[in-house]
C-alpha cells in the first residue's frame, strides 16, 4: 500500500494458516508474516477482469477473526487504507476490537491500566458497519486531543481512602508501581511543622472505590525523609523476583543528605506485589553496597534526584546537596549475595557510574527534574540549579554501546521552565503536570499566595497550570491541556470537597502522578497557597 505496487502477485504476502496461528499466539511481528494491503484500484481491477489470483481469493475468504489478527499487525494508516479497498476489508477494519488493539499498542504497557474494557457507544451491528467504530474515534482523539478534552472527575482526601492509619498531607513523597503496574507503593515525604515521614501506603488501582492502605514492614525502617527515590527493580540471579529500592533523600536542606540504600523485599521469596497486597510479610533490608569501579566510587548523598527501572536495574540521574548539584548517571544492580548467612545481608547492591560519550554535551547539573523511560531512552525535562529553572529536554539512549546525551529541540511550544513537577509515560507520550518556576510569556498558572514558607522557597513562586504532553514518535510538544472542571463541579463530590474553581487543582509541586483507570491520578503535594495536600485527584483521559 505504501509503495502503490500494481502487480497483483506482489500486492499480497499471505502467511500460511500455521504461521498466522503462530503469530497470533506469540504476538510475532516478523514483517514476513505481515499483510501488504492491496490498493483499491487493484482490488477493483481484479474484480472487473474476474482475476482469480489464488492468494487474493484465499485472503478474502479467511474468517473475519483471522483477518482482524492480520490487520492488527499493521499501523493505523494502513488499516485506514484497507478500509477503502473492498467490502471485506471495510467490514474487518471497522471492528471495535481491532481499533482497541491499535490504541493499546500505542499506549504500551500502560494500556491495561488506563483503558476501559468497553466504551458506552461501542457499535456491533449486523452486516456492514457504515460508521467509524467508537474505539477508532478514541484512537483519533488520543492522536490529536482537542483543547480541554481531559476532565477532572473525582477527588478524595487521604483520610477518606485510608482503611488503617492515616495518609497525612505531604509533599516530596515518592511512589513506584509494582507487579503489573496496577498497585502503587508510596513512601515518606514532608508535611507541616517540619514533619517527615517513613510510612508505606499501598494504592490498588483495580479496587473500586480506591483504597489507600497503610502497609507494615519488619526490619529496621528507613529514617523519615523527603525527596529520595523509590524504584521497583529485579534481583539478578532470581528470575521474576521484584524488590523496591529506596535511595537518598533528606530531612530538609539544612539537616543533611543521605546516600543510604534500603531494599524492601517480600518474605519467604514471595513477590513484593503479593506480599504488600495480601499481608504476606515485607521486610526492610540493608544490602551490602559495592562500587563496580573503586575509582568511581558510589553516588554522593543527595536529594531531588530521579530514578527509573530499566531492564530490571535502577538508573539514577541528578540531584543536589549543600555543596554540589549533579548531572551524573549511575546504574544499580541488585543481586543475591553468594555468602548468604545469618551474619550477612542476603542481597548485594552494586553501583556502576555510566560511561558516556564526550561528544554532544550533557545536561547542566540540576535537581527536581523528571526522568522518564520510553523504550530504552531516558528523557530528562526541567529541574533547577539553585534559582535557575530549566525547560530543556535531553535524551540518553541506554541501549547504545557508549551512551551519549542529546539535547532535543522538538516542534511545538515547550512548557514553561519548572521544578518539582511530575511525569507519567503513556506509550510513546510523556505527560507532565504541576511544578513551579518563574512566569514566562504565555505561561498559564497562579502565583503563590503565601507570604513566606516553602511555597515561596528560592523565589520560585509561579505554580504551573495545565498538563503538557510530549509526543516522542512525532517529535513535538502538543498544546497544553487544561482539563475541563465542569464535570467535577456539577458532581456531589464538589460540595463535599469544597473544591471551587479557584481550588488547588494541578497548581502544586512535589506531588506524584500515576496512570490509573481511564486516565491519571495526582496525589498530594504542596499547593500554591502554602497548604500541604493529601488529596487524590482523578483526571479522565479515556
Amino acid at each position: 500500500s505504501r509503495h502503490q505496487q500494481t502487480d497483483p502477485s506482489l500486492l499480497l504476502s499471505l502467511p500460511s494458516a500455521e504461521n498466522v496461528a503462530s503469530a497470533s499466539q506469540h504476538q510475532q511481528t516478523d514483517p514476513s508474516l505481515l499483510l501488504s494491503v492491496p490498493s483499491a484500484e487493484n482490488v477493483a481491477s481484479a474484480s472487473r477482469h474476474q482475476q482469480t489470483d489464488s492468494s487474493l481469493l484465499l485472503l478474502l475468504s479467511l474468517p473475519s477473526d483471522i483477518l482482524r489478527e492480520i490487520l492488527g499487525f499493521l499501523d493505523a494508516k494502513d488499516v485506514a487504507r484497507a478500509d477503502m479497498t473492498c467490502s471485506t476489508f471495510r467490514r474487518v477494519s471497522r471492528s471495535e476490537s481491532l481499533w482497541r488493539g491499535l490504541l493499546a499498542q500505542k499506549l504500551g504497557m500502560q494500556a491495561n491500566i488506563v483503558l476501559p474494557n468497553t466504551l458506552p457507544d461501542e457499535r456491533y451491528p449486523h452486516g456492514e458497519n457504515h460508521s467509524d467504530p467508537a474505539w477508532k474515534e478514541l484512537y483519533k482523539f488520543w492522536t490529536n486531543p482537542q483543547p480541554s478534552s481531559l476532565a477532572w472527575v473525582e477527588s478524595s482526601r487521604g483520610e477518606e481512602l485510608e482503611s488503617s492509619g492515616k495518609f497525612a498531607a505531604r509533599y516530596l513523597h515518592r511512589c513506584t508501581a509494582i507487579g503489573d503496574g496496577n498497585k502503587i507503593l508510596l513512601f515518606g515525604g514532608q508535611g507541616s511543622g517540619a514533619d517527615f515521614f517513613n510510612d508505606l501506603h499501598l494504592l490498588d488501582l483495580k479496587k473500586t472505590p480506591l483504597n489507600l492502605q497503610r502497609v507494615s514492614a519488619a526490619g529496621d525502617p528507613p529514617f523519615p525523609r523527603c525527596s529520595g527515590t523509590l524504584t521497583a527493580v529485579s534481583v539478578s540471579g532470581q528470575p521474576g523476583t521484584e524488590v523496591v529500592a529506596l535511595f537518598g533523600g533528606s530531612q530538609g536542606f539544612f539537616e543533611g543528605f543521605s546516600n543510604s540504600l534500603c531494599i524492601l523485599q517480600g518474605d519467604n521469596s514471595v513477590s513484593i506485589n503479593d506480599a504488600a497486597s495480601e499481608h504476606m510479610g515485607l521486610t526492610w533490608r540493608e544490602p551490602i553496597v559495592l562500587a563496580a569501579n573503586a575509582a568511581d566510587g558510589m553516588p554522593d548523598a543527595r536529594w531531588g534526584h530521579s530514578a527509573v527501572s530499566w531492564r530490571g536495574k535502577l538508573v539514577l540521574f541528578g540531584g543536589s546537596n549543600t555543596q554540589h548539584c549533579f548531572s551524573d548517571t549511575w546504574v544499580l544492580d541488585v543481586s543475591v549475595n553468594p555468602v548468604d548467612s545469618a551474619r550477612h545481608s542476603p542481597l548485594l547492591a552494586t553501583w556502576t557510574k555510566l560511561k558516556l560519550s564526550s561528544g554532544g554535551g550533557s545536561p547542566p547539573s540540576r535537581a527536581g527534574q523528571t526522568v522518564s523511560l520510553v523504550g530504552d531512552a531516558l528523557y530528562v525535562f526541567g529541574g533547577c540549579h539553585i534559582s535557575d529553572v530549566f525547560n530543556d529536554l535531553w535524551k540518553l539512549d541506554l541501549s547504545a554501546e557508549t551512551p551519549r546525551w542529546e539535547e532535543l529541540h522538538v516542534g511545538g511550544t515547550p512548557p514553561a521552565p519548572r521544578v518539582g513537577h511530575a511525569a507519567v509515560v503513556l506509550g510513546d507520550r510523556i505527560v507532565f503536570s504541576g511544578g513551579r518556576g518563574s512566569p514566562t510569556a504565555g505561561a498559564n498558572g497562579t502565583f503563590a499566595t503565601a507570604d513566606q514558607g516553602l511555597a515561596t522557597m528560592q523565589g520560585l513562586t509561579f505554580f504551573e497550570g495545565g498538563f503538557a504532553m510530549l509526543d516522542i514518535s512525532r517529535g513535538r510538544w502538543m498544546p497544553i491541556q487544561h482539563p475541563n472542571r465542569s464535570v467535577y463541579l456539577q458532581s456531589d463530590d464538589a460540595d463535599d470537597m469544597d473544591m471551587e474553581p479557584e481550588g488547588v487543582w494541578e497548581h502544586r509541586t512535589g506531588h506524584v502522578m500515576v496512570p490509573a483507570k481511564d486516565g491519571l491520578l495526582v496525589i498530594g503535594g504542596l499547593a500554591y497557597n502554602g497548604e500541604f495536600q493529601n488529596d487524590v485527584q482523578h483526571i479522565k483521559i479515556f
Side-chain angles (χ1 to χ4, degrees), residues 97-112 115 135 139 427:
S97 60
L98 172 63
W99 283 98
R100 188 189 190 281
L102 291 171
L103 180 55
Q105 290 176 27
K106 194 165 182 63
L107 289 168
M109 295 175 57
Q110 291 76 33
N112 74 311
L115 283 187
W135 281 102
Y139 182 98

Side-chain angles (χ1 to χ4, degrees), residues 355-421:
K355 303 299 181 184
L356 304 175
S357 170
S358 57
S362 62
S365 301
R366 66 190 65 201
Q369 68 287 325
T370 55
V371 173
S372 306
L373 184 71
V374 180
D376 288 317
L378 290 182
Y379 291 86
V380 174
F381 173 74
C384 72
H385 187 169
I386 308 177
S387 295
D388 293 331
V389 189
F390 306 110
N391 69 339
D392 51 352
L393 179 66
W394 293 82
K395 175 185 176 182
L396 183 68
D397 185 354
L398 296 171
S399 65
E401 184 175 350
T402 304
R404 178 178 64 89
W405 282 110
E406 176 188 4
E407 186 173 9
L408 300 181
H409 300 280
V410 301
T413 303
R418 64 189 66 196
V419 62
H421 50 291

Side-chain angles (χ1 to χ4, degrees), residues 60-71:
L60 296 177
S61 67
L62 285 174
S64 294
D65 57 337
I66 297 297
L67 285 176
R68 277 197 300 272
E69 291 286 342
I70 297 173
L71 290 183

Side-chain angles (χ1 to χ4, degrees), residues 246-266:
L246 171 67
F247 174 75
S250 175
Q251 288 190 352
F253 193 80
F254 300 105
E255 299 298 326
F257 300 83
S258 172
N259 66 346
S260 65
L261 179 67
C262 301
I263 300 293
L264 183 65
Q265 187 177 28

Side-chain angles (χ1 to χ4, degrees), residues 178-502:
I178 57 176
D180 64 356
N182 277 290
K183 293 185 178 67
I184 307 296
L185 275 176
L186 298 100
F187 172 85
Q190 178 181 355
S192 60
D195 288 335
F196 291 86
F197 304 104
N198 64 349
D199 49 353
L200 271 172
H201 289 81
L202 178 72
L203 184 65
D204 190 334
L205 300 176
K206 286 189 172 180
K207 288 187 176 180
T208 304
L210 288 174
N211 179 261
L212 195 60
Q213 185 177 23
R214 180 75 177 265
V215 176
S216 299
D220 292 331
F223 71 85
R225 69 187 76 186
C226 69
S227 205
T229 52
L230 194 71
T231 315
V233 296
S234 302
V235 178
S236 300
Q238 289 186 345
T241 301
E242 185 179 53
V243 298
V244 169
L246 171 67
F247 174 75
S250 175
Q251 288 190 352
F253 193 80
F254 300 105
E255 299 298 326
F257 300 83
S258 172
N259 66 346
S260 65
L261 179 67
C262 301
I263 300 293
L264 183 65
Q265 187 177 28
D267 296 342
N268 303 316
S269 299
V270 174
S271 73
I272 195 164
N273 179 68
D274 292 338
S277 57
E278 303 297 333
H279 306 286
M280 301 176 72
L282 289 167
T283 299
W284 284 109
R285 303 184 186 278
E286 291 189 10
I288 297 174
V289 184
L290 306 172
N293 185 317
D296 292 333
M298 305 177 195
D300 291 331
R302 64 190 69 196
W303 74 344
H305 48 288
S306 302
V308 298
S309 179
W310 172 69
R311 299 184 181 180
K313 304 179 189 300
L314 182 151
V315 181
L316 175 78
F317 172 80
S320 67
N321 58 35
T322 49
Q323 283 79 39
H324 300 285
C325 199
F326 303 101
S327 62
D328 48 356
T329 308
W330 297 80
V331 177
L332 177 72
D333 179 46
V334 178
S335 59
V336 177
N337 186 358
V339 194
D340 185 13
S341 70
R343 293 179 301 144
H344 298 84
S345 170
L347 296 174
L348 298 177
T350 305
W351 285 107
T352 302
K353 190 171 186 179
L354 202 59
K355 303 299 181 184
L356 304 175
S357 170
S358 57
S362 62
S365 301
R366 66 190 65 201
Q369 68 287 325
T370 55
V371 173
S372 306
L373 184 71
V374 180
D376 288 317
L378 290 182
Y379 291 86
V380 174
F381 173 74
C384 72
H385 187 169
I386 308 177
S387 295
D388 293 331
V389 189
F390 306 110
N391 69 339
D392 51 352
L393 179 66
W394 293 82
K395 175 185 176 182
L396 183 68
D397 185 354
L398 296 171
S399 65
E401 184 175 350
T402 304
R404 178 178 64 89
W405 282 110
E406 176 188 4
E407 186 173 9
L408 300 181
H409 300 280
V410 301
T413 303
R418 64 189 66 196
V419 62
H421 50 291
V424 158
V425 174
L426 295 178
D428 61 353
R429 196 169 296 176
I430 307 174
V431 183
F432 303 89
S433 79
R436 59 179 172 167
S438 300
T440 57
N444 185 287
T446 186
F447 283 95
T449 57
D451 294 331
Q452 56 186 355
L454 292 172
T456 59
M457 190 170 62
Q458 298 171 268
L460 304 177
T461 59
F462 188 74
F463 283 69
E464 308 290 348
F467 288 73
M469 292 189 186
L470 174 64
D471 191 318
I472 299 296
S473 296
R474 291 188 284 185
R476 68 182 179 92
W477 288 104
M478 307 186 76
I480 301 288
Q481 283 283 335
H482 298 282
N484 189 329
R485 301 175 183 178
S486 61
V487 175
Y488 175 76
L489 292 173
Q490 292 169 6
S491 70
D492 295 336
D493 293 335
D495 293 333
D496 297 337
M497 291 292 294
D498 193 28
M499 287 287 287
E500 295 300 322
E502 64 272 13

